[in-house]
Amino acid sequence: QAVKMYGKLLGESPAVQALEKLGTAMVSDLTNTLGALPTDNFSSGQSTPQGSGPHKMGGDFIRELNLSRGGEPSHACMPGCLIKCSNVYMNADGIEVVSPLEYETIGLLGTNCGLRDPDQVALLNEIANDLGVDTIELGGMIGVLMEAGQAAFGDVDFMVKVLQDLRAGNERGRLLATGTARVGAHFDVKRVPVIKKQAISAYDPRIIEVTAISMMVTAQGADHTAGNAPSFVSHNKSVREVAAESYRMQVNSALADSFGLCVFGRSVTDVN
């Protein structure tokens, strides 16, 4: 009965309905508006300035593009999933590239590296999946390489070459596999977006302040899943108030993890 009630409440939740329709890519529309979307190695918070045209790395654009190619905008990533925020992303020829093309990958392997085309991100995502490497750490590391002057932001061919080096396991590939913090130190880069040597996920902590505190105080470091609140209005709050919200989110996230519940069901679990 409890599971049935949980499923019913999820189905009635506007937040869950939005996730099912647009996927996690919809968060890119929010963070781009807030100025919190990692762009060009966290040097900017917007890949698409307001009024400059459609945000091609956002949920609305990706949904319509994917539908036009016969893709699935909503997809259960595992049996029994009730939220279905995954997708099956197709290329221009209607061939499946990756499932899902999701927000963290869009933010770190995409806009953080200067990309503005979801097709390019999907291509890189497919290779990263084949290699079994994390797209957050990968995108953070490549952004640092670009910051070091090894390539221009948006150079997708350079990014493919990085992945080829990782696959080959050559000397350069072994260096790059050590991650964002160590690669940044090796090339003496000043702006290295890490917390406790873990690449920061797609929520700029200078804007998403609740998540910033969660990242700073939790053991893993830049782990947004430990207590994330991107929509919390913090500019008019005291440090104590922001910290209290971080603590609340950390507790709720820990409870969801302990019960084996998806954190995207928080619109239900946080209030019940």
Side-chain angles (χ1 to χ4, degrees):
Q1 291 299 321
V3 173
K4 288 182 179 179
M5 177 59 71
Y6 178 59
K8 179 177 181 295
L9 292 172
L10 285 176
E12 295 170 351
S13 166
V16 172
Q17 291 169 5
L19 276 168
E20 182 175 356
K21 178 182 178 181
L22 300 172
T24 62
M26 74 176 193
V27 181
S28 179
D29 296 294
L30 170 66
T31 53
N32 185 73
T33 300
L34 294 175
L37 177 63
T39 303
D40 299 349
N41 193 39
F42 283 80
S43 64
S44 173
Q46 286 188 323
S47 73
T48 309
Q50 299 302 305
S52 64
H55 180 47
K56 294 183 179 181
M57 303 293 260
D60 288 304
F61 186 90
I62 288 174
R63 171 184 166 82
E64 295 306 316
L65 177 65
N66 198 26
L67 278 172
S68 73
R69 297 169 170 180
E72 296 180 45
S74 178
H75 171 254
C77 67
M78 59 183 291
C81 173
L82 299 173
I83 297 176
K84 301 177 183 177
C85 68
S86 178
N87 57 32
V88 179
Y89 188 83
M90 305 293 194
N91 65 16
D93 296 321
I95 298 172
E96 179 181 339
V97 181
V98 70
S99 178
L101 180 62
E102 57 89 36
Y103 173 62
E104 298 299 335
T105 302
I106 290 168
L108 268 294
L109 198 56
T111 57
N112 185 59
C113 296
L115 301 185
R116 303 293 186 270
D117 183 346
D119 282 351
Q120 293 178 333
V121 185
L123 168 67
L124 295 162
N125 196 170
E126 179 188 25
I127 301 171
N129 286 353
D130 192 43
L131 290 173
V133 294
D134 174 52
T135 54
I136 296 176
E137 193 70 41
L138 177 65
M141 181 271 292
I142 295 176
V144 165
L145 291 177
M146 291 173 166
E147 179 90 4
Q150 296 203 9
F153 287 104
D155 187 340
V156 70
D157 292 333
F158 171 79
M159 298 176 72
V160 171
K161 180 61 170 62
V162 167
L163 287 161
Q164 290 172 344
D165 285 335
L166 290 174
R167 186 186 296 277
N170 53 32
E171 183 177 358
R172 176 174 167 81
R174 291 194 297 274
L175 167 64
L176 302 183
T178 62
T180 308
R182 291 176 177 84
V183 168
H186 179 85
F187 291 107
D188 195 28
V189 177
K190 301 305 180 187
R191 179 169 43 234
V192 182
V194 297
I195 296 175
K196 300 178 183 177
K197 295 187 177 181
Q198 182 177 28
I200 297 174
S201 55
Y203 302 89
D204 191 322
R206 294 166 294 190
I207 303 296
I208 312 293
E209 294 177 314
V210 170
T211 308
I213 291 176
S214 300
M215 290 177 173
M216 287 189 290
V217 302
T218 50
Q220 191 167 331
D223 176 17
H224 62 287
T225 67
N228 192 21
S231 59
F232 184 81
V233 178
S234 60
H235 71 273
N236 58 350
K237 303 292 194 304
S238 67
V239 173
R240 184 179 294 275
E241 289 173 305
V242 176
E245 181 65 11
S246 171
Y247 178 75
R248 187 179 78 85
M249 296 311 304
Q250 290 177 59
V251 170
N252 288 349
S253 296
L255 285 170
D257 287 348
S258 298
F259 281 107
L261 299 175
C262 177
V263 293
F264 290 148
R266 279 185 352 206
S267 59
V268 170
T269 55
D270 283 8
V271 296
N272 290 281

